[in-house]
């Protein structure tokens, strides 16, 4: 089953039937919001707004472990992640879609693993058992992320963008920063020099945790702005929100076509 992490309201698409909204309890705390269980052309798809309704969680405070665990509990084995990014590579323009194929991680204070022994903070035995069952004898695990993104899901995204004539780039290195502040121009210059094409605050540890649970994962981002120092203007979050709104219909088309494929 497919899970989609994106902005709120993404599931409000003609043809997508909302079957249920489910609050999930996890050993790692509360996910960002209720999971929206939907059906489209006979397929069940689960949506979760990454920042919660009303955008209540900033990137560094998103409970990524709870979000991913909740998907797993619902039986999701593939995650499509939709996000906003700043463009570093000069060939990228605001409004372009980018389908990442690598990431570089500069986050600083986020828990990036499920494998740290049985969750000792939680007293709920049933929940503890759920974690122990998963961890079993694998308390120390170093997953391979040489190629972190699912090639088949990436191919579908490429096909969908191509078919719809959306402006897109199919190979991008995503630099993940901690936020919530934006970057300095020196940081963006550095990220560009080491090979990053785009910068954002949410891919890591989302992808890492999904991969730990053996889920397939692909990401499509909208370049909402040119990154700091590349843009001549001061950056504002309004700019990001405006561009995501502007691209909303195209994002919905990507979602529908992706589900169909
Ligand atoms: N930097 C980091 N994250 C972002 C940006 C940016 O410029 N734009 C959208 N998300």
């Amino acid at each position: 089953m497919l899970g989609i992490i994106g902005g709120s309201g993404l599931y409000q698409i003609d043809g997508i039937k909302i079957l249920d909204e489910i609050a999930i309890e996890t050993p790692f705390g509360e996910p960002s919001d209720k999971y929206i269980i939907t059906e489209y052309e006979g397929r069940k798809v689960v949506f979760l707004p990454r920042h919660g309704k009303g955008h209540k969680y900033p990137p560094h405070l998103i409970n990524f472990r709870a979000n991913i665990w909740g998907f797993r509990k619902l039986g999701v084995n593939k995650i499509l992640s939709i996000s906003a990014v700043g463009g570093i590579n000069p060939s990228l323009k605001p409004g372009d879609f980018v389908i990442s194929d690598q990431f570089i991680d500069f986050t600083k204070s986020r828990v990036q693993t499920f494998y740290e022994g049985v969750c000792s903070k939680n007293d709920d035995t049933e929940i503890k058992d759920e974690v122990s069952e998963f961890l079993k004898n694998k308390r120390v695990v170093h997953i391979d992320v040489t190629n972190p993104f699912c090639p088949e899901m990436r191919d579908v995204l490429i096909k969908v963008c191509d078919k719809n004539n959306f402006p897109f780039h199919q190979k991008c290195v995503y630099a993940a920063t901690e936020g919530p502040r934006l970057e300095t121009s020196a940081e963006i210059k550095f990220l560009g020099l080491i090979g990053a094409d785009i910068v954002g605050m949410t891919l890591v540890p989302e992808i890492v945790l999904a991969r730990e649970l053996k889920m397939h994962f692909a990401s499509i981002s909208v370049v909402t702005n040119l990154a700091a120092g590349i843009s001549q203007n001061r950056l504002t979050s309004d700019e990001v929100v405006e561009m995501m709104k502007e691209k909303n219909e195209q994002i919905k088309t990507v979602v529908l076509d992706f589900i169909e494929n």
Side-chain angles (χ1 to χ4, degrees):
M1 183 160 60
L2 174 67
I4 300 185
I5 311 180
S8 45
L10 201 58
Y11 41 85
Q12 282 148 5
I13 307 180
D14 285 348
I16 289 196
K17 200 161 99 195
I18 298 179
L19 302 177
D20 208 352
E21 294 194 15
I22 305 183
I24 300 265
E25 227 183 301
T26 88
F28 307 100
E30 273 185 31
S32 296
D33 214 321
K34 287 184 181 155
Y35 292 80
I36 320 286
I37 319 292
T38 68
E39 193 180 85
Y40 180 68
E41 302 209 328
R43 287 177 207 176
K44 270 202 183 157
V45 181
V46 183
F47 287 82
L48 181 70
R50 181 184 288 112
H51 298 274
K53 281 202 189 88
H55 212 92
K56 60 183 168 202
Y57 299 111
H60 67 297
L61 295 181
I62 292 169
N63 191 340
F64 290 101
R65 284 203 297 188
N67 287 355
I68 298 297
W69 192 270
F71 273 119
R72 174 181 181 270
K73 251 185 134 167
L74 290 166
V76 164
N77 66 345
K78 281 192 212 177
I79 291 187
L80 174 62
S81 159
I82 300 168
S83 64
V85 293
I88 301 177
N89 187 314
S91 70
L92 302 177
K93 292 185 289 304
D96 287 357
F97 282 111
V98 284
I99 302 161
S100 296
D101 71 326
Q102 283 290 327
F103 70 79
I104 305 176
D105 179 21
F106 285 100
T107 63
K108 294 177 183 151
S109 67
R110 305 177 183 190
V111 189
Q112 300 225 3
T113 185
F114 290 107
Y115 291 102
E116 45 178 28
V118 175
C119 185
S120 55
K121 283 187 214 112
N122 206 309
D123 287 325
D124 187 325
T125 315
E126 198 182 310
I127 277 178
K128 257 189 185 170
D129 286 351
E130 182 188 334
V131 182
S132 347
E133 176 57 27
F134 167 71
L135 295 169
K136 287 229 173 86
N137 301 318
K138 300 183 285 187
R139 296 274 169 84
V140 179
V141 169
H142 305 281
I143 54 157
D144 175 89
V145 281
T146 310
N147 291 302
F149 296 92
C150 170
E152 285 84 19
M153 291 176 76
R154 276 177 35 78
D155 281 349
V156 175
L157 285 171
I158 292 166
K159 205 167 102 186
V160 165
C161 288
D162 204 23
K163 180 191 119 188
N164 287 291
N165 278 324
F166 293 153
F168 78 103
H169 306 261
Q170 55 178 279
K171 267 172 93 70
C172 272
V173 178
Y174 182 123
T177 54
E178 179 67 13
R181 68 166 175 86
L182 291 157
E183 299 72 34
T184 64
S185 57
E187 285 170 330
I188 291 300
K189 202 185 249 178
F190 166 74
L191 293 176
L193 283 173
I194 62 166
D197 300 300
I198 52 174
V199 59
M201 301 176 193
T202 55
L203 180 71
V204 180
E206 197 167 86
I207 183 169
V208 179
L209 294 165
R211 295 306 313 276
E212 276 198 349
L213 298 189
K214 300 200 166 21
M215 292 172 171
H216 299 270
F217 192 102
S219 155
I220 184 160
S221 310
V222 174
V223 177
T224 50
N225 57 282
L226 299 180
I230 295 175
S231 163
Q232 300 310 308
N233 311 320
R234 281 172 65 87
L235 304 179
T236 65
S237 9
D238 288 352
E239 203 174 333
V240 174
V241 173
E242 280 307 309
M243 181 54 82
M244 285 310 266
K245 262 197 209 147
E246 211 176 289
K247 295 292 283 186
N248 199 30
E249 285 312 306
Q250 290 191 2
I251 294 172
K252 286 182 173 182
T253 303
V254 168
V255 166
L256 280 191
D257 286 2
F258 187 90
I259 299 172
E260 269 173 24
N261 282 269

